Amino acid sequence: MNKKIFYIVILIFSFISTLFANTNSVEKISVQLNWKYQFEFAGFIAAKEKGFYEKVGLDVDLREYKTNVDVVYEVLNQKANYGISNSNIILDKGSISPAVLLATYLQKSPLILVTKPNIKNPLDLVGKNIMGAKDELKYSSLALLFEHFNINSSNSNIISHTFNIDDFVNGKVDVMSAFKSNQIYELDKRKIAYNIIDPADYGFIVSGINLYSSINEAKDNYDRTARFIEASNRGWKYAIENQEEIVDLLKQKYGVLKSKEALLFEANVVKQLVMSDFIPIGKVSSDFTQRLLKQLIYAKTIENEANVGTLVFDKDSLFGDKKFTLTKKEKEYLDSKESLKLCVAPSQVPIEYIKDSELQGVTKDIIELFEQKLNKVINLVPTKSWSESIEFFKNRECDIISSISPNDERKLYMDFTKPVLSLPLVLATRIDKPFIQNSSFLNGKEIAILKGHFFAEHIKLNLKQIKLVEVLSIQDGLDLVAKGVVYGYVDNSLVLAAIQKEYANSLKFALKFDMQDDLCLATRNDEPLLGEIFNKLVDDLDESKKQEFLNNWTPIVKQVGWLSSKEIVVISFFIFSIIMGQFVYHRKVSKLNEKLKRLSITDKLTNIYNRFELDKIMEQEKNKIDRNSSYHTAIIMLDIDYFKSINDTYGHLVGDMVLVSIAKLLKSSLRNTDTIGRWGGEEFLIILPFTTKESAVIVAQNLRDKIAKSDILKEHDRVLTASFGVESMSADKTINDVLIAVDELLYRAKNSGRNRVECDL
């Protein structure tokens, strides 16, 4: 080969290598949209057409929505890399999906109700013909509005959306779901009179155009996802600033049939909802997400899953190791201590109190958790009063003191953690005293307060006209109020709510102070390592654990809507104060509380345990196994075969009947010691204590046989079957490990032909 040919070969090879290198540097990804091409997706279209995606090495396929496409399924099964949702919590079949929220582009959803002019508020919807899309009336802000005002198919005629505006114009329906950015333009153009009911006006605020991915997609391709978000944000900024250009692009290249005027109207509405003048484009609001979560739980749209499901895209959420760890110095410090000594408030029910020389209350649960994490005994030092506990701590007879509020004097000998609980401060008075608007009314009056309470110092400095009477116990203070010796007693709402029964006919809450009672843990400041350790412990104590501990000692706190537990306590006590004198009604309230307590752990449809209670029982069983190596507990997970087909063929009423019938069959077929609950959708979970895996397989086979022979769908000439997975709990497996294993076994059964039991023996 001569030199000329050699150089030509080299040049060709180099060209091909460069071509392949350039091709490989562009990654192909897909986005599944949840509607047709319109201006609501302008940011993604701008990023694609203006080359923003290409500049970060991405070739993006924007997939237009098609009938029967399940966006959540496509994304979670990684058939599409990313998806769009109209909610900042990604829901699937009544549960929070294990998804990652990447960005939010409409900070407020455009979804509204358009009504006839005489329908002015949600209460007017009762008895009307209402047209809405299935998911809109199930998972959106409209669903929350309907639940709150009790609008449902039993008192109104709710029909599926035809997406034909003429149905509303011609009077076929009185109400239809619509988007501010869409149908409103057409109604205005035709000069049709209408009214708008916006869920946001009633507190139901949901965002729109939320970009999300599966957890695996976000974790495995973190850098690529970050580049995709950055380019999408640039695209949205460009689209908002160049609306007419993007509208022309939509019509010319994307075949959008809407008129240019209609698209420009949509663009203007979208710009308002992006709110880029106030909020960075794409910003995810954790406050809105938490608010929506509480509203969904309260409306029973989902079960209490506050700690699972949708994550926010950041490294801490995806990769952060939240396991409690200690430094070498901290471990050495703990090793040098035989035990740690704890002082508490001896009569602060239900937060903490001493009974038969044992610690009780919320603090007990917290301390037991801390003992497990530290692998160190924390011994109670019994005291007779709160002031004695303070003195013991000053004299270093205690290493830790709990449920204490910081003040300048205490900081001389204490190090404080951040608050474990923050509770309103309230005033209890006799029932014949008036409700008070502000503390100035108390000038010249005698008010009792626990000796050593941090709020006493505040009163002495800032409310000098109040005459303080310091008492040794809460009981002493309330007795003085009941006897009329003092005008009132001050403490936090949770403590006072706990003693409402004893003083139900004599005391009430009359005033809520502006200050909070921030209850912290304090450690001796001459041993700073101890403070560092307890700061870590408190940081590691998440809100769900606090809620669980509160539930253990104050059952009524379980009935949480979108208010926090402390707000529930205050509001419920104010209401209770008004009706304290009515003994008969008080009995009814007590019975109602019992009913609410049952409802909080029960699935609404099937009347068996819900997922929240199943989680709690599994934790109890895991603790038994960890303490006793000979103890056995097995788990059965079952899923009704072809349940979607049953719903689609016979309707959701038949589907609901099947779920209720299966729950009854399971309850009648198992022992009283067994726990049956609805895990989600058509899945059920059974917890079998004192049962080996081998025995559980026999139980599962019997249940499988009973379901197959049942006459549940006899009326429809159809045999009902179910698939089962069986696994056992053990000391070397976490609860999550067991659930993942039994879920995999269940789906092995389904993939192997259904109507079978799978177990690894």
Side-chain angles (χ1 to χ4, degrees), residues 282-299:
K283 180 177 174 58
V284 173
S285 171
S286 58
D287 289 342
F288 276 4
T289 302
Q290 285 302 311
R291 180 188 177 93
L292 176 60
L293 178 65
K294 291 181 180 181
Q295 290 175 336
L296 290 168
I297 293 170
Y298 184 77

Side-chain angles (χ1 to χ4, degrees), residues 286-352:
S286 58
D287 289 342
F288 276 4
T289 302
Q290 285 302 311
R291 180 188 177 93
L292 176 60
L293 178 65
K294 291 181 180 181
Q295 290 175 336
L296 290 168
I297 293 170
Y298 184 77
K300 296 184 173 62
T301 303
I302 60 173
E303 294 176 3
N304 194 341
E305 298 178 82
N307 292 313
V308 297
T310 309
L311 298 171
V312 176
F313 183 76
D314 61 62
K315 287 192 173 178
D316 286 340
S317 296
L318 292 170
F319 304 105
D321 183 7
K322 295 186 177 181
K323 291 182 179 179
F324 175 76
T325 56
L326 296 174
T327 65
K328 183 179 179 181
K329 284 186 177 180
E330 289 165 349
K331 289 177 182 177
E332 289 172 350
Y333 167 81
L334 282 178
D335 290 341
S336 70
K337 308 277 283 188
E338 184 177 339
S339 66
L340 298 173
K341 292 177 286 185
L342 170 72
C343 281
V344 302
S347 59
Q348 200 174 14
V349 180
I351 296 172
E352 59 188 23

Side-chain angles (χ1 to χ4, degrees), residues 181-249:
S181 54
N182 195 356
Q183 291 93 335
I184 298 301
Y185 173 81
E186 186 64 25
L187 290 171
D188 288 342
K189 185 179 178 182
R190 296 198 202 180
K191 296 183 168 44
I192 304 297
Y194 62 89
N195 186 44
I196 288 176
I197 296 178
D198 189 342
D201 294 338
Y202 297 87
F204 302 108
I205 301 173
V206 177
S207 58
I209 312 299
N210 291 277
L211 179 67
Y212 68 99
S213 72
S214 67
I215 292 176
N216 286 342
E217 176 66 33
K219 292 180 74 170
D220 295 344
N221 301 286
Y222 184 90
D223 291 335
R224 183 179 74 190
T225 301
R227 283 184 279 128
F228 174 59
I229 296 169
E230 177 190 358
S232 297
N233 291 349
R234 287 187 64 195
W236 274 99
K237 185 175 186 299
Y238 187 91
I240 294 303
E241 293 173 352
N242 301 274
Q243 295 179 25
E244 191 160 348
E245 178 186 345
I246 302 303
V247 165
D248 290 338
L249 192 63

Side-chain angles (χ1 to χ4, degrees), residues 249-306:
L249 192 63
L250 282 166
K251 289 191 66 64
Q252 294 164 14
K253 187 168 182 178
Y254 286 79
V256 177
L257 298 177
K258 288 175 70 173
S259 68
K260 183 172 181 177
E261 292 73 23
L263 285 169
L264 286 172
F265 176 88
E266 181 186 2
N268 186 51
V269 174
V270 167
K271 180 180 179 180
Q272 294 172 32
L273 298 177
V274 170
M275 300 172 65
S276 57
D277 290 340
F278 308 99
I279 299 171
I281 289 176
K283 180 177 174 58
V284 173
S285 171
S286 58
D287 289 342
F288 276 4
T289 302
Q290 285 302 311
R291 180 188 177 93
L292 176 60
L293 178 65
K294 291 181 180 181
Q295 290 175 336
L296 290 168
I297 293 170
Y298 184 77
K300 296 184 173 62
T301 303
I302 60 173
E303 294 176 3
N304 194 341
E305 298 178 82

Side-chain angles (χ1 to χ4, degrees), residues 492-654:
N492 70 61
S493 58
L494 190 57
V495 168
L496 291 182
I499 48 81
Q500 61 181 318
K501 184 176 180 181
E502 186 175 348
Y503 295 92
N505 296 314
S506 57
L507 302 184
K508 70 179 183 183
F509 278 12
L511 171 67
K512 176 179 175 291
F513 292 93
D514 292 333
M515 289 185 68
Q516 295 276 104
D517 191 1
D518 290 331
L519 300 178
C520 309
L521 283 164
T523 58
R524 48 191 297 174
N525 65 355
D526 60 334
E527 296 185 5
L529 282 173
L530 185 60
E532 293 174 15
I533 291 168
F534 272 82
N535 267 310
K536 287 184 177 181
L537 288 167
V538 173
D539 283 339
D540 199 51
L541 183 61
D542 61 38
E543 291 301 320
S544 67
K545 269 296 177 190
K546 294 180 191 178
Q547 184 66 57
E548 179 188 329
F549 295 156
L550 282 167
N551 292 348
N552 291 341
W553 297 93
T554 54
I556 196 169
V557 176
K558 287 186 180 180
Q559 321 318 322
V560 177
W562 54 79
L563 298 173
S564 67
S565 58
K566 54 180 177 283
E567 290 168 329
I568 288 287
V569 171
V570 175
I571 293 171
S572 63
F573 204 94
F574 267 104
I575 295 170
F576 187 80
S577 298
I578 298 170
I579 60 172
M580 275 182 178
Q582 304 174 35
F583 177 71
V584 173
Y585 194 79
H586 172 65
R587 289 184 63 189
K588 289 181 180 178
V589 170
S590 298
K591 290 179 181 178
L592 179 61
N593 280 342
E594 284 300 313
K595 183 180 179 181
L596 289 173
K597 183 178 178 181
R598 289 195 302 273
L599 287 174
S600 71
I601 62 173
T602 305
D603 176 64
K604 187 177 181 181
L605 175 65
T606 59
N607 203 32
I608 58 178
Y609 283 136
N610 59 23
R611 187 162 180 170
F612 179 79
E613 188 66 10
L614 288 171
D615 286 337
K616 184 176 177 181
I617 292 170
M618 279 190 288
E619 285 186 14
Q620 293 170 355
E621 290 300 305
K622 181 66 165 69
N623 289 336
K624 293 176 186 176
I625 290 168
D626 290 343
R627 292 195 300 266
N628 184 354
S629 59
S630 62
Y631 184 79
H632 297 283
T633 299
I635 302 292
I636 298 175
M637 185 178 285
L638 67 116
D639 182 280
I640 301 171
D641 294 332
Y642 303 108
F643 185 74
K644 186 177 185 299
S645 170
I646 294 169
N647 269 337
D648 292 345
T649 305
Y650 309 115
H652 286 278
L653 288 178
V654 173

Side-chain angles (χ1 to χ4, degrees), residues 32-312:
Q32 179 59 62
L33 307 179
N34 62 343
W35 193 237
K36 305 295 183 181
Y37 293 132
Q38 289 186 177
F39 199 91
E40 62 182 297
F41 305 121
F44 307 111
I45 290 167
K48 180 177 176 70
E49 300 300 329
K50 303 307 293 184
F52 300 151
Y53 288 140
E54 186 179 0
K55 286 178 182 177
V56 295
L58 299 176
D59 180 7
V60 179
D61 177 20
L62 297 175
R63 298 177 183 172
E64 189 175 32
Y65 178 79
K66 294 180 181 179
T67 306
N68 297 325
V69 167
D70 185 334
V71 181
V72 176
Y73 176 85
E74 293 287 306
V75 174
L76 295 188
N77 289 276
Q78 294 184 279
K79 296 179 182 297
N81 300 101
Y82 308 102
I84 306 297
S85 169
N86 284 326
S87 170
N88 39 321
I89 291 178
I90 315 303
L91 296 173
D92 182 33
K93 298 175 183 176
S95 297
I96 303 177
S97 296
V100 180
L101 187 58
L102 309 177
T104 295
Y105 293 108
L106 303 190
Q107 297 300 328
K108 182 180 171 185
S109 171
L111 187 61
I112 54 170
L113 291 174
V114 173
T115 72
K116 294 297 184 183
N118 61 313
I119 301 173
K120 299 183 183 302
N121 63 66
L123 294 176
D124 294 336
L125 297 172
V126 174
K128 302 300 188 294
N129 296 317
I130 304 170
M131 182 167 69
K134 178 182 173 182
D135 282 350
E136 287 173 356
L137 301 181
K138 192 172 182 181
Y139 295 137
S140 72
S141 54
L142 294 183
L144 294 171
L145 181 81
F146 279 31
E147 174 69 23
H148 184 77
F149 289 97
N150 195 31
I151 312 299
N152 53 58
S153 57
S154 64
N155 59 30
S156 305
N157 181 29
I158 299 176
I159 63 174
S160 296
H161 216 308
T162 62
F163 302 102
N164 185 349
I165 196 172
D166 288 336
D167 290 338
F168 176 81
V169 173
N170 298 330
K172 184 177 178 180
V173 295
D174 307 300
V175 182
M176 70 174 179
S177 64
F179 285 86
K180 284 183 179 180
S181 54
N182 195 356
Q183 291 93 335
I184 298 301
Y185 173 81
E186 186 64 25
L187 290 171
D188 288 342
K189 185 179 178 182
R190 296 198 202 180
K191 296 183 168 44
I192 304 297
Y194 62 89
N195 186 44
I196 288 176
I197 296 178
D198 189 342
D201 294 338
Y202 297 87
F204 302 108
I205 301 173
V206 177
S207 58
I209 312 299
N210 291 277
L211 179 67
Y212 68 99
S213 72
S214 67
I215 292 176
N216 286 342
E217 176 66 33
K219 292 180 74 170
D220 295 344
N221 301 286
Y222 184 90
D223 291 335
R224 183 179 74 190
T225 301
R227 283 184 279 128
F228 174 59
I229 296 169
E230 177 190 358
S232 297
N233 291 349
R234 287 187 64 195
W236 274 99
K237 185 175 186 299
Y238 187 91
I240 294 303
E241 293 173 352
N242 301 274
Q243 295 179 25
E244 191 160 348
E245 178 186 345
I246 302 303
V247 165
D248 290 338
L249 192 63
L250 282 166
K251 289 191 66 64
Q252 294 164 14
K253 187 168 182 178
Y254 286 79
V256 177
L257 298 177
K258 288 175 70 173
S259 68
K260 183 172 181 177
E261 292 73 23
L263 285 169
L264 286 172
F265 176 88
E266 181 186 2
N268 186 51
V269 174
V270 167
K271 180 180 179 180
Q272 294 172 32
L273 298 177
V274 170
M275 300 172 65
S276 57
D277 290 340
F278 308 99
I279 299 171
I281 289 176
K283 180 177 174 58
V284 173
S285 171
S286 58
D287 289 342
F288 276 4
T289 302
Q290 285 302 311
R291 180 188 177 93
L292 176 60
L293 178 65
K294 291 181 180 181
Q295 290 175 336
L296 290 168
I297 293 170
Y298 184 77
K300 296 184 173 62
T301 303
I302 60 173
E303 294 176 3
N304 194 341
E305 298 178 82
N307 292 313
V308 297
T310 309
L311 298 171
V312 176

